[in-house]
Amino acid sequence: DECVGCPPARAAAAGAAAVASPAAPPAVAPGPVKVAPKGREGRIAFQHDGRTVYEWEQSMEEVNIYVTPPPGVPASALDVTISHRHLRIGIRGNPPFLDEDTGGRVNVEESMWMLDDGELNVNLQKAFKAEMWDAALLGRGEHQLDPLTKEEVRKKLLLERFQEEHPGFDFSSAEMNGAVPDAREFMGGVSHR
């Protein structure tokens, strides 16, 4: 694991070797865009022209974005910038591969990124706990969740909130009828931290 962009202690422990920058993957250009319902391990995949650009998932406190850089690219060659409402990912010395606004506000101080087994994981800590993001990255608006997936994510966040508030109970097989309420607002809301 190489962790660059982590809190200082973790980044120092991971270490990274400096290497020349390989060619960057092509930037995402306008064209046919498709949001696949499920990627690997239940992730939501954003696809463009038949290829997966990134996958993402969210919990009450974070959004994880997964990108596969070209083979052999070390963490030290990556250029990842996380800000309160924007994410930029690329290879140093090349135009960014992704340069988009995030689906919600980010707590930059607690967010990080790491390269693990050839997969870049960008961990964005939500500024508002239990806020549901309709998209990891806003892009041109095509990244939005479809209504069925949005309802599944809303249910997942609400069950996660119930589990956090009632740790002695198992909500993993809970069923809900009708529209699922917003986990952030339901029954008096949730504290932000």
Side-chain angles (χ1 to χ4, degrees):
D1 295 1
E2 296 183 66
C3 186
V4 183
C6 298
R10 190 165 171 196
V19 201
S21 299
V28 178
V33 175
K34 176 182 169 191
V35 177
K38 297 273 192 271
R40 186 174 30 174
E41 302 167 16
R43 299 174 184 170
I44 300 162
F46 172 69
Q47 298 178 337
H48 176 75
D49 285 339
R51 69 178 175 96
T52 299
V53 177
Y54 64 86
E55 294 179 331
W56 70 287
E57 62 189 353
Q58 67 180 303
S59 67
M60 278 191 12
E61 296 186 8
E62 64 188 17
V63 170
N64 283 291
I65 300 173
Y66 305 92
V67 177
T68 303
V73 173
S76 59
L78 294 173
D79 181 18
V80 180
T81 305
I82 301 169
S83 62
H84 292 285
R85 289 200 173 267
H86 198 83
L87 176 66
R88 189 180 76 230
I89 300 173
I91 296 176
R92 293 188 193 286
N94 294 288
F97 173 65
L98 289 171
D99 192 6
E100 300 182 12
D101 290 337
T102 57
R105 291 203 48 189
V106 175
N107 180 341
V108 177
E109 293 76 29
E110 293 184 22
S111 297
M112 58 161 228
W113 64 272
M114 64 185 278
L115 187 61
D116 185 23
D117 290 332
E119 180 177 66
L120 174 64
N121 175 4
V122 180
N123 176 271
L124 305 175
Q125 293 294 311
K126 293 179 177 179
F128 301 108
K129 185 175 179 178
E131 176 183 44
M132 188 179 92
W133 290 16
D134 290 339
L137 302 173
L138 297 180
R140 294 171 302 281
E142 299 94 349
H143 299 57
Q144 301 291 317
L145 295 175
D146 64 81
L148 183 59
T149 304
K150 187 184 284 191
E151 199 69 9
E152 288 176 13
V153 171
R154 187 174 285 133
K155 176 183 174 184
K156 176 185 171 232
L157 294 179
L158 187 61
L159 293 177
E160 190 177 325
R161 175 182 162 192
F162 288 165
Q163 190 66 52
E164 182 180 282
E165 292 174 354
H166 308 284
F169 293 92
D170 179 13
F171 293 97
S172 61
S173 59
E175 295 291 326
M176 294 188 190
N177 294 328
V180 179
D182 183 346
R184 191 162 167 246
E185 305 292 329
F186 184 65
M187 295 185 67
V190 66
S191 64
H192 294 296
R193 294 262 176 215

